[in-house]
Amino acid sequence: MILKEVGGDKILKRMFLEFPVSLYASDPNWIRPLDQDIEVIFDPNKNFHLKKGEAIRWILFDENQNPIGRVAAFYENTEPDKSNLKMAGMGFFEVIDDENAAIILFDSCKNWLKEKGFEGMDGPINFGERDSFWGLMIKGWEFEPTYKMPWTKPYYISFFENYGFKDYFQQYVFVSPIAGANVTQGIEEKAQRIFDNPDYVFQHIEKSNLSKYAEDFRFIFNAAWAKFPGVKEISSESAHKLVKTMKPIIDEQLLWFAYTTDGTPVAFFIVIPDLNQIVKHLNGKLNWWGMIKFLLLKLKGTLTRTCGVIFGVTPDHQGKGVESAIALRFREVARTNPFYPYTTMDMNWVGDFNPKMMRFVSQLGATNDKTFITYRYLFNPNQPFSRCPKVG
C-alpha cells in the first residue's frame, strides 16, 4: 500500500473528495457532502484555525494505484486542554474494510502530530467547530444524516478501538416532531410562566439587522458555551463571518432570541432548514447548475426537516424556564410557517457531558435517533485516560 500526501495536487484533492462516493455507494441513506464544505476546511484563506495551526491530508492507494482510504490530521497552537494535555485532531477518515489500511492511516496522523510536539489526538473530528463533520457514527444508519453531520461505516468502530482510541464523549441527535410532540407538563408550565413574565421578550431574527444578532449571539455564546470542554470564546469577527455564511439559508422565523426588557440578550435557539434534503440531489456540486437546482427544490417545498444547530442561555437565566419558553415559541411559529411545511426537528449536538441538556431535550418529547463518539488517543500508553468531565 502507498500513502500519498494531498498537498496542492489538484488530482489528489479531487480524489480526496470523491473516494467516499464509491465507498458509500451501497449505503442508501448516505448523502454526499458539498465539495465546498470540505475544501473550505483546508483553505487558509477561509478557515481561521489555520492562522495558528496546520492541516495535512493523505490518500492511501493499493498496489494497483486504486484509492482505498483517506485521512486528515490538524492542530492549532493553543494552550493545553483542561486535562493539561497538548491535544491535536484527526478526521475525514474513510477506508475500505481492511484493518491494516486503517492502521497505516492512523499511524500517519500519530507520527506527524508527535513530530509537532503533541501528546494525543481526538478523532474523528473537524478542524473547526463541532457542528460539522464531528464524531464517529455508532447509531442511526437507518436515517438520513442532517446537514454537515458525519456518516461513517460500522466497521470503523472496531478499527478505532483496536488501535487504542477510547470513548472521550458521546454526542446525540435528538429528533422531535414540530407539531404534536409529547412535551412534559412541567416544561409547558415553565414556558407559560416565562411568557407571562413581562421581564422577558422573545423575537425571531430579521435579515435586515444581522449585525445586531451576530453580536447578541457572541454575547450569549461566550457566557453559555465557553465554559464547556474544548470550546473557546468566539470573537466579534468570527461571529459576523458565521452569520454572513448562514445568511443564504436563514429562515427568519426559525432563529429565535430572548432578551430582558432592557435589551440584554439572554438566550438563542438557532435552527436552520435541513439542507441535506436538497444537497442529496446535487452530487457534491454547488456550481451554477447546482444553484439553480437548489433554488428550484427550495421553492418546490422540499425542505420539511429542520436542524437545531445550537442552543444557549446565559448562566444568570438558566433554570428559570427561558430555555423551555424559547424552544416552544420556535415550535409554535415553525408549525404555522406558510412558506415551508416543516414537520420535524433534529437537535444535532447534545453531548453526554451535559446531563441537564440531555434531560431537557427528552422533556421536549425528543428521541435519540443517532449517536456519535468522539474518541481520544494518547500517544503515551502509560498516560492515564479520563473521559470528558461533565458540566453543570
Side-chain angles (χ1 to χ4, degrees), residues 142-363:
E142 66 270 34
F143 305 105
E144 288 185 350
T146 45
Y147 183 56
K148 288 189 179 182
M149 291 297 284
W151 180 278
T152 54
K153 290 282 192 180
Y155 60 78
Y156 292 0
I157 300 168
S158 62
F159 290 173
F160 273 83
E161 295 183 356
N162 291 345
Y163 190 78
F165 283 89
K166 295 182 179 179
D167 179 347
Y168 186 53
F169 60 78
Q170 296 189 14
Q171 58 266 29
Y172 308 107
V173 175
F174 283 84
V175 180
S176 171
I178 289 177
N182 187 24
V183 180
T184 66
Q185 184 177 351
I187 290 290
E188 295 275 11
E189 290 174 352
K190 279 185 177 181
Q192 193 58 52
R193 283 199 298 269
I194 294 297
F195 291 149
D196 294 339
N197 187 336
D199 293 337
Y200 291 101
V201 176
F202 295 87
Q203 59 183 241
H204 63 74
I205 73 163
E206 298 174 349
K207 285 188 177 182
S208 60
N209 204 10
L210 286 182
S211 60
K212 170 192 177 332
Y213 295 110
E215 288 300 323
D216 293 347
F217 173 83
R218 182 176 71 90
F219 178 87
I220 299 165
F221 180 91
N222 290 344
W225 276 94
K227 63 182 179 179
F228 283 73
V231 181
K232 304 169 188 174
E233 288 195 354
I234 188 171
S235 67
S236 179
E237 178 186 7
S238 297
H240 283 268
K241 282 184 178 179
L242 176 63
V243 170
K244 184 178 179 181
T245 301
M246 290 180 62
K247 184 176 181 179
I249 61 174
I250 285 175
D251 179 341
E252 292 180 336
Q253 298 187 70
L254 297 183
L255 284 76
W256 281 80
F257 282 77
Y259 301 88
T260 57
T261 49
D262 65 0
T264 302
V266 298
F268 58 59
F269 193 26
I270 308 300
V271 182
I272 63 172
D274 181 10
L275 300 184
N276 259 6
Q277 291 183 286
I278 292 178
V279 169
K280 68 180 181 181
H281 300 289
L282 303 182
N283 193 30
K285 307 294 189 297
L286 198 59
N287 49 25
W288 66 270
W289 174 235
M291 286 295 297
I292 292 174
K293 289 175 70 176
F294 186 99
L295 293 171
L296 290 174
L297 288 166
K298 185 178 179 183
L299 291 171
K300 189 179 177 181
T302 302
L303 299 172
T304 61
R305 297 195 303 258
T306 62
C307 304
V309 178
I310 188 169
F311 176 82
V313 182
T314 57
D316 290 346
H317 296 269
Q318 292 174 6
K320 297 181 178 181
V322 176
E323 59 277 6
S324 305
I326 197 169
L328 296 189
R329 181 54 50 90
F330 153 78
R331 286 178 187 243
E332 177 187 342
V333 173
R335 66 174 173 253
T336 59
N337 189 316
F339 300 105
Y340 302 113
Y342 299 123
T343 58
T344 60
M345 178 177 66
D346 286 15
M347 285 170 275
N348 262 358
W349 220 106
V350 182
D352 68 355
F353 51 78
N354 190 354
K356 285 186 177 180
M357 180 59 72
M358 290 180 60
R359 183 170 61 252
F360 173 65
V361 295
S362 297
Q363 291 172 335

Side-chain angles (χ1 to χ4, degrees), residues 114 119 166 377-385:
K114 283 181 73 174
E119 298 174 88
K166 295 182 179 179
Y377 178 82
L378 302 177
F379 299 154
N380 178 358
N382 297 318
Q383 175 73 42
F385 170 83

